[in-house]
Amino acid sequence: MQLDLPIWFEIGSLVVLTLILVGDLLLVLKRPHVPSLRESTLWVVFYVALALVFAGLMFVLGDAEHGGQFLAGWLTEYSLSIDNLFVFVIIMARFSVPRKYQQEVLMVGIIIALVLRGIFILLGASLIENFSWIFYIFGAWLVWTAIQQVRDSHEDEESETFVVRMLRKRVRLTDEYDGVKLRTVIDGRKFFTPMLIVFVAIGTTDLLFALDSIPAIFGITQSPFIVFTANVFALMGLRQLYFLLGGLLERLEYLKYGIAFILAFIGVKLVLHAMHGNELPFINGGEHIEWAPEISTWMSLIVIVAAMAVATVASLVKARVDANKRGNKLMDEVPHFTEDSHHR
């Protein structure tokens, strides 16, 4: 079903979102610091509220289907972005990025993610428009990704990628950071700083997550506008969320299972959608498979919310029980990046 929104709303939304992102970037560049717990909380609440207001406008200017698709898409992308954030934490620790530079690194990571996802959205929309059978591939890819999500541990992602290893061999690197500069001069000679490796590691991570997130949201909506705005809202506030969650992120042990369930569910939904509109000659003689059910947007939204809620609550309960066994309270054990927020 083709959903149409007023063109002024679509253009206006993109302009406002761009201004917010540019403003956030300028704030990081002009005032680099480790945000306090209060500051991080206020920003995260602001961005979540902004997404909910946008969803409300979709209900009013569009209909319930518009609003539901945006909410389901935003929540799916938000959950995947939190998983992405976990890997950012690993990369920051792996390369010992000083806390005062982490805001800039996160902002670069978010910009790279937006650019990559924008490219994949355009490619995905074009493929869907011209090849309806692409849903079979998207669905199979998401189910396979869900299986890998359960089997693999995040620690596996600490190992350096091929690109990073090649850079280490071919590029002269210093051992020390020079702010967020990629190059520095020592004794009249130019060297690259470790920040180059960090940006490359984050960029390749963003690429892998884009490969998962775009097919996932196209399983919820085929509207490029909703796909793009859901991704933007999911990435906005991610920098502040990083500092807000701090060490608590590592305690969300069951998060990967919730995300895996969502990916598998959407993968199955995509395959059923492809079967329902089947045109491949070697499947059912090229005829539509009428018995294949179409899963509604609202059913998808319920499943996504339930999966994330169960995974988060179960993780926190287990973390609290484990902390109690050690004779501590959970929050006393969690190291927050905000502890030394007064340092610059």
Side-chain angles (χ1 to χ4, degrees), residues 271-289:
V271 172
L272 291 173
H273 178 76
M275 291 168 66
H276 191 75
N278 178 64
E279 295 177 351
L280 293 178
F282 52 87
I283 298 178
N284 198 38
E287 298 296 325
H288 302 334
I289 303 175

Side-chain angles (χ1 to χ4, degrees), residues 162-320:
F162 172 76
V163 177
V164 171
R165 290 197 302 271
M166 287 294 292
L167 273 176
R168 283 195 181 279
K169 290 178 181 179
R170 298 177 180 275
V171 172
R172 287 189 306 187
L173 287 168
T174 64
D175 294 325
E176 301 295 327
Y177 288 90
D178 184 8
V180 291
K181 293 179 181 177
L182 297 179
R183 301 197 74 181
T184 189
V185 177
I186 300 176
D187 297 329
R189 299 178 65 193
K190 290 185 178 180
F191 292 84
F192 282 99
T193 70
M195 195 61 75
L196 174 67
I197 302 291
V198 173
F199 285 159
V200 170
I202 283 181
T204 51
T205 297
D206 283 336
L207 177 62
L208 294 175
F209 274 91
L211 285 170
D212 297 338
S213 67
I214 300 308
I217 194 170
F218 270 120
I220 295 168
T221 177
Q222 279 85 64
S223 165
F225 174 73
I226 295 178
V227 171
F228 185 73
T229 51
N231 268 278
V232 173
F233 275 106
L235 290 169
M236 285 198 311
L238 203 60
R239 172 173 61 82
Q240 291 87 353
L241 189 65
Y242 173 88
F243 292 99
L244 173 62
L245 292 178
L248 187 62
L249 198 60
E250 298 172 11
R251 266 64 172 187
L252 299 179
E253 186 175 334
Y254 299 131
L255 179 67
K256 68 175 184 178
Y257 297 109
I259 293 172
F261 184 83
I262 292 171
L263 291 175
F265 169 77
I266 297 175
V268 171
K269 178 184 176 182
L270 280 171
V271 172
L272 291 173
H273 178 76
M275 291 168 66
H276 191 75
N278 178 64
E279 295 177 351
L280 293 178
F282 52 87
I283 298 178
N284 198 38
E287 298 296 325
H288 302 334
I289 303 175
E290 298 300 333
W291 59 262
E294 286 276 10
I295 300 174
S296 70
T297 298
W298 290 101
M299 176 60 71
S300 300
L301 183 58
I302 291 170
V303 169
I304 291 164
V305 171
M308 290 310 299
V310 169
T312 302
V313 171
S315 297
L316 293 176
V317 169
K318 184 178 186 301
R320 184 174 288 111

Side-chain angles (χ1 to χ4, degrees), residues 146-158:
I147 295 170
Q148 293 299 112
Q149 177 86 2
V150 172
R151 290 176 57 188
D152 298 343
S153 66
H154 280 295
E155 282 73 21
D156 294 337
E157 293 170 80
E158 281 196 62

Side-chain angles (χ1 to χ4, degrees), residues 33-36 99-100 336-344:
H33 67 294
V34 179
S36 66
R99 293 181 185 178
K100 60 183 178 180
H336 281 280
F337 296 104
T338 53
E339 288 173 351
D340 61 346
S341 59
H342 58 282
H343 294 307
R344 297 292 174 90

